[in-house]
Amino acid sequence: MNQPEHLKNAGLKSTLPRLKVLSLFESGQARHMSAEEVYKLLLSTGDDVGLATVYRVLTQFEQAGLLVRHNFEGGKSVFELDQGTHHDHIVCLQCGHVEEFFDADIEARQENAAAERGFTIRDHSLSIYADCAKTDCPNKTRSENR
Amino acid sequence: MNQPEHLKNAGLKSTLPRLKVLSLFESGQARHMSAEEVYKLLLSTGDDVGLATVYRVLTQFEQAGLLVRHNFEGGKSVFELDQGTHHDHIVCLQCGHVEEFFDADIEARQENAAAERGFTIRDHSLSIYADCAKTDCPNKTRSENR
DNA sequence: TCGCAAATGAGAACGATTATCATTCGCACT
DNA sequence: AGTGCGAATGATAATCGTTCTCATTTGCGA
Ligand SMILES: [Mn+2]
Ligand SMILES: [Mn+2]
Ligand SMILES: [Zn+2]
Ligand SMILES: [Zn+2]
């Protein structure tokens, strides 16, 4: 299915800015992007889109179920294509590298913890902040590595 | 040990604003508070403290290990007294009620997920967002409870 | 009690995000 | 293909949480 159809299925009319943002995510350039990153990447390829529109489109895509929003440490929202299946994240504090993981037992135990206390889960977020193993990550070259 | 000593142990000189903020947390009025909440609660008892000072003191207490900071959904940081032991949170999306839980297996599996991928964990946060069971919670009275 | 570095508080500044509103665009209907 | 109109866009102002600035005040050791 092509992009204009994607948008129509989501109840959004197929406009140029929306197509550009969707293409960027589908290009696979980067899985997790903030509004600012989307904005700058589009600018850099000459696909100018207003920053306000980027914010609007990201929120619309989130509501339409095309994108998922994450609130990692750092105060800015990051988005990724909705893959249909839930997963959690490990974020490198040094270089921003993100890896995804899924643990069925963790998920089950969360359900359990909530149910035991009479809560009905709407959403949850598990983020691990760490130093990654990439050889080019700044955490490798710091004089003191504590 | 009294409050002035608490502060000295933490390497902070014992000033009026710091004592007021610490007292508020130790009063047990509320375990989890944002800067704005601390500020307003102090105002309401005549213990005026500048908002900038509240922010500064909260950050200092965090660095000193007296308080722990959490970034729940909603964009504002919330703080609580450091109890020495880690725990996670279930937050009611309707009334803000927070309950705490700890699951050793979840913790172990997080360690595992990170280690398998070569990450060294620095920090992590698990928050469950839900509807709570309190009878006075607004999620009970909504016409459609979906 | 003095002296002074450290702390405070009022308000400006900031970064991320949202609201406003005049202009432009997509699209259903000729 | 041409029109009309409501929806979408984009420049900019506004908002929100938080941090910074700097003149004034305070804690505390000598
Ligand atoms: Mn992801
Ligand atoms: Mn807690
Ligand atoms: Zn890294
Ligand atoms: Zn509730």
Side-chain angles (χ1 to χ4, degrees):
Chain A
M1 182 168 58
N2 56 34
Q3 286 150 359
E5 288 175 41
H6 270 247
L7 293 178
K8 275 173 199 142
N9 285 8
L12 297 167
K13 74 164 72 162
S14 170
T15 68
L16 232 36
R18 300 214 256 238
L19 289 170
K20 288 174 182 172
V21 171
L22 184 53
S23 294
L24 176 57
F25 275 98
E26 292 187 335
S27 78
Q29 269 228 234
R31 274 195 54 69
H32 306 86
M33 287 181 281
S34 66
E36 196 70 31
E37 286 167 344
V38 168
Y39 176 67
K40 285 183 179 155
L41 278 175
L42 291 180
L43 279 196
S44 74
T45 52
D47 296 308
D48 293 45
V49 173
L51 180 56
T53 302
V54 169
Y55 274 103
R56 268 186 306 241
V57 169
L58 291 175
T59 301
Q60 290 159 348
F61 282 7
E62 180 196 11
Q63 289 167 346
L66 292 176
L67 295 180
V68 183
R69 178 196 302 257
H70 302 295
N71 295 106
F72 298 149
E73 279 180 11
K76 53 186 69 171
S77 292
V78 306
F79 300 81
E80 69 176 314
L81 278 181
D82 189 339
Q83 305 173 290
T85 64
H86 164 82
H87 61 258
D88 296 309
H89 297 90
I90 309 180
V91 183
C92 176
L93 290 171
Q94 245 45 58
C95 69
H97 173 61
V98 176
E99 284 194 34
E100 310 181 327
F101 72 98
F102 177 83
D103 185 312
D105 282 352
I106 291 181
E107 301 293 325
R109 287 184 162 273
Q110 288 179 66
E111 286 290 346
N112 216 35
E116 278 174 357
R117 291 166 180 75
F119 285 81
T120 305
I121 295 188
R122 295 292 177 211
D123 190 16
H124 71 96
S125 105
L126 167 54
S127 302
I128 297 176
Y129 300 97
D131 290 342
C132 82
K134 288 169 62 186
T135 52
D136 62 329
C137 175
N139 72 30
K140 295 293 167 310
T141 54
R142 283 184 306 168
S143 45
E144 34 73 60
N145 202 75
R146 67 174 322 277
Chain B
M1 181 171 57
N2 56 35
Q3 287 149 357
E5 288 176 41
H6 269 248
L7 293 179
K8 275 172 199 144
N9 286 6
L12 297 167
K13 73 165 71 162
S14 170
T15 68
L16 232 36
R18 299 213 257 240
L19 288 169
K20 288 173 182 171
V21 171
L22 184 54
S23 294
L24 176 56
F25 276 98
E26 291 187 336
S27 78
Q29 270 228 233
R31 273 195 54 68
H32 304 86
M33 286 181 282
S34 67
E36 195 70 31
E37 286 168 343
V38 168
Y39 176 67
K40 286 184 178 155
L41 279 173
L42 291 180
L43 280 196
S44 74
T45 52
D47 295 309
D48 292 44
V49 174
L51 180 55
T53 301
V54 170
Y55 275 103
R56 268 187 304 243
V57 168
L58 290 175
T59 301
Q60 290 159 350
F61 283 7
E62 180 196 10
Q63 288 165 349
L66 292 175
L67 295 181
V68 182
R69 178 196 302 257
H70 302 294
N71 294 106
F72 298 150
E73 277 181 11
K76 54 185 67 170
S77 292
V78 305
F79 300 81
E80 68 176 314
L81 279 180
D82 189 340
Q83 304 173 292
T85 64
H86 164 82
H87 61 257
D88 297 309
H89 298 91
I90 309 180
V91 183
C92 177
L93 291 170
Q94 244 46 57
C95 68
H97 172 62
V98 176
E99 284 194 33
E100 309 180 329
F101 73 98
F102 177 83
D103 184 311
D105 282 351
I106 290 181
E107 302 292 325
R109 286 182 162 273
Q110 287 179 65
E111 287 289 346
N112 218 32
E116 279 174 357
R117 292 166 180 76
F119 284 82
T120 306
I121 295 187
R122 295 291 176 211
D123 189 16
H124 70 97
S125 105
L126 167 55
S127 302
I128 296 175
Y129 301 96
D131 291 342
C132 83
K134 289 170 61 187
T135 52
D136 62 330
C137 175
N139 72 30
K140 295 293 166 309
T141 53
R142 283 183 305 168
S143 45
E144 35 73 58
N145 202 76
R146 68 176 321 276

